[in-house]
Amino acid sequence: MASSFFPTGARPVHQHTDNALLSKLRQKQGMLLPWLALFFVSFLFYIFDSGGLQISNLILVVIVVFSLGIMTSLFPYYRTIAITFLVWIGYTVFANMFNFIIDSDTRLLLAPTYYFYNFLVFTLIFSLFMLDDNRFKKWIAVACLCAAAAEFTAILFTLNVSVRAEGTFNNPNQLGYWALATTMIYALCKLDKPLTVSDFLLLFLCCAAAAFSLSKAAMVSIAVALIIFLYQKISVKNFLRIFIILPLAGGAIYTIWEYILADAGTKLVDLSVNRINKIGQDSDDNAAGRNYDRIWRFPEYLAIGAGEGGYSRFTTGIRNNEIHSAFGTIIFSYGLVGSMFFLALMHRILYRARTSALIYLVPWMLYSLTHQSLRSPLFWTFLAMIAADTALRRLRGDTASVNTV
């Protein structure tokens, strides 16, 4: 029987949903998951400028509209997280509006809208995951594989190994982050599953995409995610399966490398190694280059925050843009008060999550040291899956492996 938020033999925490309604909600989930998979694939296509509306945004809004019944019915299971999330969003509105009075940069008005959009992403993913997590994971894993294959194909058609690849995105860093985020989401879908050929294929395609982007942060972070994934899968129990799968996966990867990438593959390795060796040598590989220095150059903003915009106030002579760090953005843009609200939200989401899921935050944190990744719906999808997985395990009374990798 498919697992759900009403596990067999367990009494639900809230008695607001009867079996007839539950059956209807699951049926609706089955109709919505193909559209959610389409959202993940359409996320590849950047038609308009970065930061603007894309096809994937419109698809997700439509899914949310048709999922309102599901999200409302399951609200008791994420009530505390939702309230904390909305408090955080409320503070981003306050901080940005306060700074808009000082500097009338319209980016200050737009910043909270990204977080509200991601609130919808979070609640949607949480709700659909809770209804039937096995079916959810199957659809999302397939969507990740399809997206990875499509992106790899797009990279090959636009390949120029003398420059950093963008694929279907607007810049190489977007490609690198997408590859990392897709790997992490796929890994959550496969946490309780044995190693398969499709796992190796997904890992290869995403690692290749990160390498083609030549994003140093993405390459280092996805390498860490790869190590975590393989460490979790390789065991004496799975040795026979691995012994059979490795030659098959190796043969498929060799075919792609030898007959599709050909000389480009060798050049890609050289360029990637060169980029990694240059870590710390480029002009933006330091605190000032990533605009961290604003934190100590403008300490007057550390109380309530400087907002996300009006960057001309902090021109350092290097770049007139945002802090290239999720952590730096939280601290400087929302100050000590906003940082506490954000930490409270992270605590609500990640509390009692199993270590085998939490450990995938490590590659995300590495990447976020040098990039602002908080506005990406893929990040909030990742967090929603962890939160929903934790909620389900608590309802089933399954806490045996909460603290195991």
Side-chain angles (χ1 to χ4, degrees), residues 259-287:
Y259 297 103
I260 298 179
L261 291 178
D263 293 338
T266 302
K267 190 167 185 179
L268 174 63
V269 172
D270 293 338
L271 289 172
S272 300
V273 171
N274 183 54
R275 286 281 290 174
I276 296 298
N277 288 336
K278 290 179 66 178
I279 290 178
Q281 300 177 24
D282 291 336
S283 60
D284 60 351
D285 284 351
N286 54 64

Side-chain angles (χ1 to χ4, degrees), residues 336-382:
L336 295 175
V337 178
S339 296
M340 287 190 291
F341 283 133
F342 183 78
L343 287 174
L345 173 59
M346 290 299 104
H347 177 264
R348 290 294 186 187
I349 292 173
L350 302 174
Y351 179 62
R352 296 189 70 178
R354 47 176 164 166
T355 308
S356 56
L358 283 177
I359 197 169
Y360 282 102
L361 284 170
V362 173
W364 175 81
M365 288 189 290
L366 288 174
Y367 183 87
S368 297
L369 286 171
T370 55
H371 291 83
Q372 215 295 43
S373 55
L374 293 173
R375 292 191 290 265
S376 171
L378 296 182
F379 170 62
W380 295 100
T381 294
F382 173 77

Side-chain angles (χ1 to χ4, degrees), residues 96 100 103-114 308-310:
N96 283 287
F100 181 74
D103 188 310
S104 55
D105 185 347
T106 54
R107 285 178 292 186
L108 289 162
L109 299 180
L110 286 174
T113 64
Y114 292 108
E308 292 187 68

Side-chain angles (χ1 to χ4, degrees), residues 307-327:
E308 292 187 68
Y311 302 120
S312 59
R313 295 174 289 171
F314 320 115
T315 301
T316 61
I318 299 175
R319 285 178 181 157
N320 179 21
N321 55 13
E322 66 184 4
I323 295 179
H324 288 275
S325 163
F327 305 109

